[in-house]
Every structure is written in structure tokens, then in C-alpha cells.
Amino acid sequence: EAGVTQFPSHSVIEKGQTVTLRCDPISGHDNLYWYRRVMGKEIKFLLHFVKESKQDESGMPNNRFLAERTGGTYSTLKVQPAELEDSGVYFCASSLQGARNGYTFGSGTRLTVV
Amino acid sequence: SQQGEEDPQALSIQEGENATMNCSYKTSINNLQWYRQNSGRGLVHLILIRSNEREKHSGRLRVTLDTSKKSSSLLITASRAADTASYFCATDVGGSEKLVFGKGTKLTVNP
């Protein structure tokens, strides 16, 4: 089966611009998660979808971040406007049965805001 | 300190040696997971150990869990250069779906 796919793999944008990251989970996985790792810090949870519903968005840093999962398939994470501190690697993961059985992560999108 | 904190932060060994990484956490958990990240790539799930388990093996990996000490260790035996990566432990928090990761241990295996 195909794994979790993230696009783009790298993005360099200027401060104030908008960037949209995309994640295609493993087919049939209702659970989809976004995490990010800011340089030198821990990997941190952003939010969790079950199908198209946001189950937990407690990790979203502020209202410049908007995640959607229309139709319960792929998800997008938009950052608007981007700030320098948003630079880091954004990971998407999906799972069939939730965290108790582990996730499958994508390769991540490396976002650089200059 | 953070939930899911690994030590050492960096470890450099020779091929063939064993590598041991430790993880400590603060709250009660349902399970603890170890992930690997090769440079520039995504996170790969290595092994999951549940709170009622004490030890688990997968190939050259051995994970222990001591819930009384709130700690876990990951042992990689007979290391290879391809094991060079960052290793993270992650714990669930209060039965929620979110995982809390540590900062990771950067392992370098020299050929």
C-alpha cells in the first residue's frame, strides 16, 4: 500500500506570504494528524482529524494556521501569513486504529520562511 | 523537563557495537513508542510497548519499559552504519490521541 504522502517536500517563502501543505494519508485511515518540529525543539502535535472532523486542535499555535480535511481524504495545512518562527518540518501521519497502535508518518515538508 | 525526554542527546559508536538510548516521561501512559528519523526524511515507527509490558524485541531492537521509574530504553544491537539517525520516544498522554515526543537522541554509527 502507498504510504503517507506529503507535498511539497520543501518550501521556501517570504515572511507574510501564504503556504499550503498537503497530506495524503494511507487509504482507509480515518485518523490523520499534523505535527511539526521547529529547529532544535521537540516534535509537537498540532491537530487530529477523524475523517473530516477536527477531534483535537489544541496544538495549533495561532489563528494563522488553518487545517482542513474536506471529504475525509487528504488534508491541507495553510499558514497565512507566514512568520519566521513558522520555519521547521511539518509532519503528517495517519492511523487506522489511533495512537495506541502507532502512526505511519509521511516524509515531512520542510518549510523555510525568510 | 519535557514528557518523553531522551538521553543522551548524541551518541557516537563504532559499527558492531550496541547503542542504548533512554527515555523518561512524567505522566501515566497507555503505551510508549520509539521512532527513527533519517536525515531529511520522515519518522519511521520502530516499536510500541504497552504499559503492561516490560520488554519487547523486534529484530536487533530491544525496548524495556519501567513504569515505576517512568522510563524506557531502546537497545540496538550489532549496530550498522545505516542505523545512523535520530531516535525519538513518544508517549500518549492521558489516553488522548496526541503523542508527546522528546527532543531525540542523534545516533552516529561509524563504519
Side-chain angles (χ1 to χ4, degrees):
Chain A
E1 65 180 2
V4 177
T5 306
Q6 291 188 245
F7 181 83
S9 56
H10 294 87
S11 180
V12 181
I13 61 171
E14 292 185 351
K15 177 183 172 182
Q17 289 186 323
T18 297
V19 62
T20 300
L21 314 180
R22 173 171 169 146
C23 169
D24 286 74
I26 292 173
S27 179
H29 281 195
D30 288 341
N31 294 282
L32 186 149
Y33 314 83
W34 284 97
Y35 284 77
R36 74 170 179 176
R37 187 182 189 195
V38 172
M39 187 65 69
K41 299 205 172 176
E42 297 90 350
I43 300 165
K44 293 220 167 173
F45 170 85
L46 295 178
L47 88 160
H48 168 216
F49 283 100
V50 175
K51 297 185 180 178
E52 67 274 10
S53 299
K54 291 176 186 174
Q55 284 294 109
D56 182 351
E57 52 184 328
S58 60
M60 295 289 265
N62 52 60
N63 59 11
R64 296 185 294 102
F65 289 76
L66 175 64
E68 294 180 320
R69 192 183 181 195
T70 307
T73 54
Y74 71 90
S75 175
T76 57
L77 179 65
K78 181 191 286 187
V79 186
Q80 179 183 32
E83 298 289 345
L84 298 178
E85 64 265 23
D86 300 332
S87 295
V89 181
Y90 289 75
F91 294 103
C92 175
S94 72
S95 74
L96 187 59
Q97 294 181 321
R100 63 184 182 274
N101 285 327
Y103 300 162
T104 301
F105 276 88
S107 298
T109 293
R110 182 173 293 278
L111 174 65
T112 303
V113 183
V114 297
Chain B
S1 60
Q2 297 291 322
Q3 176 92 342
E5 191 166 301
E6 297 91 340
D7 80 87
Q9 291 186 347
L11 180 61
S12 181
I13 60 174
Q14 295 299 123
E15 212 165 23
E17 294 180 336
N18 295 342
T20 299
M21 289 160 271
N22 302 297
C23 168
S24 61
Y25 58 92
K26 287 184 169 293
T27 65
S28 62
I29 61 172
N30 291 318
N31 64 65
L32 184 145
Q33 306 175 36
W34 285 90
Y35 288 83
R36 182 186 72 221
Q37 183 188 19
N38 290 72
S39 179
R41 300 203 176 175
L43 292 162
V44 174
H45 182 258
L46 295 176
I47 199 165
L48 180 151
I49 186 165
R50 302 193 189 284
S51 59
N52 61 353
E53 297 175 309
R54 291 297 166 258
E55 188 170 312
K56 205 160 182 180
H57 297 253
S58 177
R60 293 183 296 111
L61 305 180
R62 174 178 164 244
V63 168
T64 62
L65 179 65
D66 187 335
T67 52
S68 66
K69 294 181 180 177
K70 291 187 168 56
S71 67
S72 173
S73 68
L74 171 67
L75 167 69
I76 303 174
T77 59
S79 64
R80 304 166 182 167
D83 295 329
T84 295
S86 290
Y87 291 82
F88 299 88
C89 71
T91 55
D92 64 324
V93 179
S96 76
E97 281 296 302
K98 68 175 81 169
L99 293 181
V100 178
F101 286 81
K103 289 187 179 182
T105 293
K106 188 169 182 179
L107 173 66
T108 303
V109 182
N110 301 299

